[in-house]
């Protein structure tokens, strides 16, 4: 059976041996090999992207159908708004595909700009890669364009982390790669990515005096890659914050903010961190959690209510891999405890964003006054997304009732009254379908604007919770 025949046969009618033969044939033909897409270090410039018949941009296409930037690892866009993007690829075992790629990305991000830099790193998920036509690549260009429109003066610099998100290009068989790609996301996260991220953080943040911003976004298995790379760093920095006595924000994450969207990560992976938050949050003597100095989040985990991939498929797939494992009940205060509030089996089955016991907020949603979220990106470039001051950001993140949405992004956020720890800078929340429709619909302008507002609050000098509340009361009296 040749590959052309394979692509036209329904996988549901294949006997198991034909499926195995198709997998073997695909590997022999090179489908199981890692081949970088971005192999040239010569910079490429886009002077004006092409428009599709649906009003979207095809960023790397030219009018005559060519894609001259398809093999470049550094691309500069001049219109409709200026920004740059670097590609860094990682192989199956977590090794950097090219040191030159990584060095170019760090060098570009670390350039000292007069008005500062806004560096956005994106790690894609399942079924995606760094190719010019990939949907996540195109979506990342869109998000950078919006950020450029909203951050006039500041240099917008994107870094796209590419890995082999699909191991079988055979239609009908792509979905059986769940376990394989999940294991690969673990390998990629534990490899050279951490070295790259820590060097990038040093290059962007050291000596910038707050002018430079660094955002890291991971999606699906890309969120798994991100969390695997940074989990130990987050725990270390959390414990440093628990010991700190400084009269300023104490709990650092990575860069300025990490956002995991529809993460394909079992809640059990997050439980050690959640356990630390709860345990140190209940202590009365050092080391203890004091979140009263935090004015913005350090980690945001979002999961769409319309995401069948993590709400249904992930749970079903995990049933097979956890069936023979031993599980207990646990609590943050005691550890393993027969009457503990957490079931390890449930934590091992459900994703972190869908586990109700971790959620700090009610489901995020668009306000009733929000415009149509399906407006094409080209039209959205005419709208605004202003930064907020620290007092307003804190109030909107921590309101437990009311309908005050973030201006411009129109995202309504309410802190759960039963949240395990008050005012935690580590946010876990579901998201209404109108804001993030499903598993792959992650780049709507409203959510991009909201993330931008979390990252880029105006520095007002407000530090403590009491000062923030006093500032908010003064604003209310002045209105």
């Amino acid at each position: 059976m040749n590959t052309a025949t394979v692509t036209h046969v329904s996988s549901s009618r294949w006997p198991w041996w034909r499926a195995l033969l198709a997998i073997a044939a695909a590997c022999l033909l090179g489908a199981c090999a890692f081949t970088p897409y971005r192999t040239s270090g010569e910079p490429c410039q886009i002077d004006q992207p092409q428009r599709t018949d649906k009003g979207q941009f095809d960023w790397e296409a030219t009018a005559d159908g060519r894609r001259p930037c398809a093999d470049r690892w550094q691309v500069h866009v001049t219109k409709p708004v200026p920004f740059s993007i670097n590609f860094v690829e990682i192989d199956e075992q977590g090794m950097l595909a090219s040191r030159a790629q990584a060095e170019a990305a760090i060098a570009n991000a670390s350039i000292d700009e007069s008005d500062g830099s806004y560096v956005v790193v994106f790690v894609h998920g399942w079924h995606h890669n760094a190719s010019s036509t990939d949907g996540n690549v195109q979506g990342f260009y869109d998000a950078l364009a919006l950020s450029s429109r909203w951050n006039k003066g500041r240099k917008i610099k994107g870094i796209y982390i590419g890995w082999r998100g699909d191991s079988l290009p055979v239609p009908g068989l792509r979905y059986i790669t769940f376990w394989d790609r999940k294991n690969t996301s673990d390998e990629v996260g534990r490899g050279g990515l951490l070295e790259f991220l820590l060097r990038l953080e040093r290059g962007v943040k050291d000596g910038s005096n707050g002018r430079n911003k660094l955002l890291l976004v991971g999606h699906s298995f890309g969120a798994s890659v991100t969390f695997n790379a940074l989990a130990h760093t987050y725990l270390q920095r959390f414990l440093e914050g628990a010991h700190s006595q400084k009269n300023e924000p104490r709990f650092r994450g990575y860069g300025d903010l990490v956002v995991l969207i529809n993460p394909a990560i079992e809640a059990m992976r997050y439980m050690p961190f959640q356990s630390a938050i709860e345990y140190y949050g209940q202590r009365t003597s050092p080391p203890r959690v004091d979140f009263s100095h935090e004015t913005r989040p350090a980690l945001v985990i979002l999961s769409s209510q319309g995401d069948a991939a993590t709400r249904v498929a992930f749970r079903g797939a995990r049933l097979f891999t956890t069936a023979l494992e031993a599980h207990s009940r646990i609590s943050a205060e005691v550890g393993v405890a027969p009457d503990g509030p957490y079931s390890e089996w449930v934590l091992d089955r459900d994703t972190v964003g869908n586990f109700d016991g971790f959620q700090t907020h009610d489901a995020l949603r668009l306000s009733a006054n929000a415009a149509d979220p399906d407006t094409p990106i080209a039209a959205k470039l005419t709208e605004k997304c202003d930064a907020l001051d620290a007092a307003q950001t804190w109030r909107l993140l921590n309101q437990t009732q009311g309908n005050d949405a973030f201006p411009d992004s129109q995202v309504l956020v309410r802190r759960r009254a039963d949240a395990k720890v008050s005012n935690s800078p580590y946010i876990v929340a579901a998201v209404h379908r109108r804001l993030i429709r499903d598993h792959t619909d992650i780049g709507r302008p409203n959510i991009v604007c909201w993330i931008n507002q979390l990252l880029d609050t105006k520095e007002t000098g407000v530090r403590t919770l009491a000062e923030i509340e006093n500032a908010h009361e003064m604003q209310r009296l002045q209105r």
Side-chain angles (χ1 to χ4, degrees), residues 101-116:
Q101 274 186 344
E103 294 294 341
I106 293 172
N108 184 52
S110 303
I111 295 173
D112 187 20
E113 309 288 357
S114 58
D115 292 323

Side-chain angles (χ1 to χ4, degrees), residues 186-261:
D186 294 342
E187 294 284 353
V188 172
R190 289 195 296 260
L193 180 60
L194 178 58
E195 174 203 341
F196 171 79
L197 291 176
L198 293 178
R199 281 194 58 200
L200 177 68
E201 183 183 47
R202 177 182 291 271
V204 173
K205 298 299 296 180
D206 281 9
S208 74
N209 296 321
R211 290 182 299 116
N212 295 343
K213 300 295 180 182
L214 177 58
L215 167 68
L216 173 56
V217 179
H219 169 238
S220 184
F221 281 146
S224 174
V225 170
T226 303
F227 188 77
N228 284 321
L230 293 175
H232 292 161
T233 300
Y234 260 88
L235 185 55
Q236 176 186 349
R237 294 179 178 181
F238 169 80
L239 291 174
E240 290 172 355
H243 282 88
S244 176
Q245 300 296 314
K246 295 180 179 179
N247 188 32
E248 62 184 29
R250 302 174 179 181
F251 293 89
R252 292 191 305 137
Y254 171 79
D256 292 284
L257 179 63
V258 171
V259 180
L260 306 181
I261 304 179

Side-chain angles (χ1 to χ4, degrees), residues 119-280:
V119 180
V120 186
V121 184
F122 177 73
V123 187
H124 70 76
W126 196 17
H127 301 318
H128 291 280
N129 51 51
S131 70
S132 177
T133 57
D134 185 87
N136 277 185
V137 170
Q138 295 291 320
F140 190 45
Y141 272 102
D142 287 346
L144 294 175
L146 288 170
S147 297
S148 180
R149 169 66 180 82
W150 296 329
N151 290 271
K152 292 181 178 178
R154 182 176 284 162
K155 295 289 186 180
I156 307 302
K157 304 174 181 181
I159 299 176
Y160 186 97
I161 305 297
W163 57 287
R164 191 163 166 256
D166 229 347
S167 53
L168 279 178
V170 182
L173 294 182
R174 299 173 68 205
Y175 297 100
I176 69 172
T177 65
F178 171 90
W179 297 275
D180 167 56
R181 292 303 88 190
K182 185 180 187 305
N183 290 336
T184 299
S185 73
D186 294 342
E187 294 284 353
V188 172
R190 289 195 296 260
L193 180 60
L194 178 58
E195 174 203 341
F196 171 79
L197 291 176
L198 293 178
R199 281 194 58 200
L200 177 68
E201 183 183 47
R202 177 182 291 271
V204 173
K205 298 299 296 180
D206 281 9
S208 74
N209 296 321
R211 290 182 299 116
N212 295 343
K213 300 295 180 182
L214 177 58
L215 167 68
L216 173 56
V217 179
H219 169 238
S220 184
F221 281 146
S224 174
V225 170
T226 303
F227 188 77
N228 284 321
L230 293 175
H232 292 161
T233 300
Y234 260 88
L235 185 55
Q236 176 186 349
R237 294 179 178 181
F238 169 80
L239 291 174
E240 290 172 355
H243 282 88
S244 176
Q245 300 296 314
K246 295 180 179 179
N247 188 32
E248 62 184 29
R250 302 174 179 181
F251 293 89
R252 292 191 305 137
Y254 171 79
D256 292 284
L257 179 63
V258 171
V259 180
L260 306 181
I261 304 179
N262 292 333
I265 310 168
E266 57 271 34
M268 194 67 230
R269 295 294 309 279
Y270 188 79
M271 185 63 210
F273 191 56
Q274 176 71 19
S275 178
I277 293 172
E278 292 184 35
Y279 177 71
Y280 293 101

